[in-house]
Amino acid sequence: MAGILDSREEITKLDEAKLILSVEALPDQIEDALTQTLNFTVPDSYRSAKNIVVSGMGGSALGSTVIKNLYKKELKVPFEVASHYELPAYVNEDTLVLLSSYSGTTEETLAAAADAEARGAKIMVIAAGGELAKLAVAKQWPRYIMNVTHNPSGQPRLAIGYAVVGQLAMFARAGFLPDVHTELSTIVESLRGLVKRLGPEAVENNTAKLLAYSALEKHLIISASEHLVGAVHVFNNQVNENSKALTSEWHLPEFNHHYMEALSFPKANHETTIFFLFNSTLYHPRVAKRFPLTGQLIESKGYEMHLIQATAETKLAQVFEIIQLGEFVAAYLPFLYRIPDPGPVPSVEWFKSEMAK
């Protein structure tokens, strides 16, 4: 098993779904999405929305979760991600509803589409095809139909560049977020350098490989705060779906108010659990102080802990820095487990088929 992450040839033997190629394509996804959304427009009436609700499930909800946590200080209206068949009771003609489904066939999102239309909401759509894309065309809803050229895996969770950048552009044109086109162009170049430092050919000081080896055969508990909550949720989702591995997600400062009292028992957890804490100097100073102290307490209780520091200069750049790192860790881990073709999600597909009966 040792050394498999250093060999692209060995990885390719297991990686039928081309996960690693989609991971390495994150900068290309961002660049492509910027081009694809250049001409996206919405009616002027959309700018008067008093709240925003995104309907999406699983990988199709990741982009919105990133944006909600990244722009808490910039968003002047309530922003909610509703992963359900029904939209919140307050949704009406003053609500901007974004329907997000990579496949365009997600049953919960299609149900939410009918709900949103019945309530007279202002509707936008982001999809890569399927029934939702056809519905958006037929209803003439503002839409970004993603041409996901740089996602060879075909997995929604690995189209995160398209999802985040596409939605950033959509919400910016609707007047709810700033235009970050110029900053994203700079981030693309930084990420290309990061890909080289974290890829299979990078053998020395490869943080992604170190973290993947550390997480092997462990229950991974992930924690971040503020603008990085969405980024680590992307990581969490990809570990679950790529590695078929159990994780938990807790965020500071809430972690410090009850969860850390649970570190003593069961004793067996000490050998089977590992913590990844994601810190940033761009957090509130009191929050940034909490992370090393929390890590110190975790280690004092007998657990392995890794404190990962975001280093980029802006919050948006840090989000993509952590997404890129997390994608590599989540792609390497299934190769260590020797999972044949880790791309598909058989448990999810079985459940969908049973629900359809």
Side-chain angles (χ1 to χ4, degrees):
M1 183 178 293
I4 186 174
L5 300 187
D6 298 336
S7 170
R8 188 174 290 271
E9 181 181 0
E10 291 301 311
I11 287 174
T12 303
K13 290 177 182 177
L14 291 172
D15 192 17
E16 294 181 30
K18 301 179 181 178
L19 294 185
I20 200 70
L21 295 182
S22 285
V23 168
E24 293 175 321
L26 178 59
D28 298 321
Q29 291 182 12
I30 295 171
E31 193 170 58
D32 195 20
L34 284 171
T35 300
Q36 291 183 29
T37 56
L38 277 176
N39 297 318
F40 179 82
T41 59
V42 299
D44 289 341
S45 61
Y46 279 46
R47 294 175 172 268
S48 65
K50 296 179 180 178
N51 50 75
I52 298 171
V53 176
V54 181
S55 172
M57 306 295 300
S60 295
L62 294 179
S64 307
T65 302
V66 168
I67 289 169
K68 174 182 178 180
N69 288 282
L70 172 59
Y71 286 105
K72 280 184 176 178
K73 292 186 177 180
E74 288 79 9
L75 284 162
K76 304 301 183 184
V77 299
F79 186 111
E80 183 171 355
V81 180
S83 298
H84 203 275
Y85 295 90
E86 298 174 328
L87 296 172
Y90 60 78
V91 170
N92 58 24
E93 65 276 4
D94 292 323
T95 303
L96 175 58
V97 174
L98 174 63
L99 303 168
S100 175
S101 171
Y102 184 92
S103 68
T105 62
T106 308
E107 64 174 85
E108 295 93 338
T109 306
L110 291 172
D115 193 12
E117 186 178 26
R119 301 200 212 176
K122 308 174 196 305
I123 299 174
M124 301 193 301
V125 167
I126 180 169
E131 186 177 343
L132 183 60
K134 294 177 183 177
L135 188 62
V137 172
K139 300 287 186 179
Q140 297 186 322
W141 293 331
R143 58 199 175 271
Y144 170 35
I145 308 304
M146 299 177 287
N147 180 10
V148 287
T149 306
H150 299 290
N151 183 25
S153 74
Q155 296 296 331
R157 62 189 181 273
L158 288 163
I160 190 64
Y162 287 106
V164 173
V165 175
Q167 291 184 41
L168 284 175
M170 297 172 83
F171 289 126
R173 304 294 160 71
F176 294 99
L177 288 177
D179 187 329
V180 289
H181 187 287
T182 301
E183 183 179 0
L184 285 168
S185 298
T186 303
I187 288 170
V188 165
E189 295 309 312
S190 298
L191 288 180
R192 287 190 171 128
L194 187 58
V195 166
K196 290 181 180 178
R197 297 196 298 274
L198 299 178
E201 290 77 17
V203 176
E204 300 295 330
N205 302 316
N206 189 320
T207 304
K209 293 180 183 180
L210 169 66
L211 294 176
Y213 278 116
S214 298
L216 185 62
E217 298 294 352
K218 298 289 181 67
H219 173 196
L220 174 58
I221 298 179
I222 306 163
S223 186
S225 192
E226 299 179 17
H227 61 285
L228 294 181
V229 166
V232 302
H233 184 64
V234 173
F235 172 43
N236 191 12
N237 174 284
Q238 292 187 6
V239 171
N240 295 157
E241 295 199 10
N242 294 353
S243 306
K244 329 303 178 192
L246 184 64
T247 60
S248 299
E249 191 176 338
W250 285 86
H251 301 301
L252 273 64
E254 180 64 19
F255 184 106
N256 303 131
H257 288 268
H258 69 100
Y259 191 70
M260 61 188 184
E261 283 298 338
L263 297 176
S264 297
F265 303 104
K267 292 291 186 182
N269 287 350
H270 297 177
E271 299 299 321
T272 61
T273 304
I274 187 170
F275 289 79
F276 287 1
L277 309 183
F278 292 84
N279 200 10
S280 168
T281 57
L282 301 182
Y283 289 159
H284 185 288
R286 297 291 293 174
V287 172
K289 181 178 180 179
R290 288 173 180 269
F291 275 85
L293 288 174
T294 302
Q296 181 180 334
L297 178 64
I298 289 168
E299 289 184 323
S300 74
K301 296 292 185 178
Y303 293 92
E304 183 177 355
M305 182 279 304
H306 290 265
L307 184 62
I308 299 118
Q309 187 75 33
T311 60
E313 294 183 359
T314 68
K315 291 181 178 180
L316 180 59
Q318 286 190 357
V319 162
F320 277 112
E321 174 191 7
I322 296 305
I323 287 175
Q324 186 73 84
L325 171 62
E327 283 201 317
F328 270 107
V329 177
Y332 284 146
L333 194 52
F335 304 139
L336 296 180
Y337 280 122
R338 299 286 182 164
I339 298 173
D341 191 13
V345 284
S347 296
V348 173
E349 294 304 324
W350 172 85
F351 198 88
K352 287 181 179 179
S353 68
E354 291 297 306
M355 287 292 293
K357 291 179 180 178

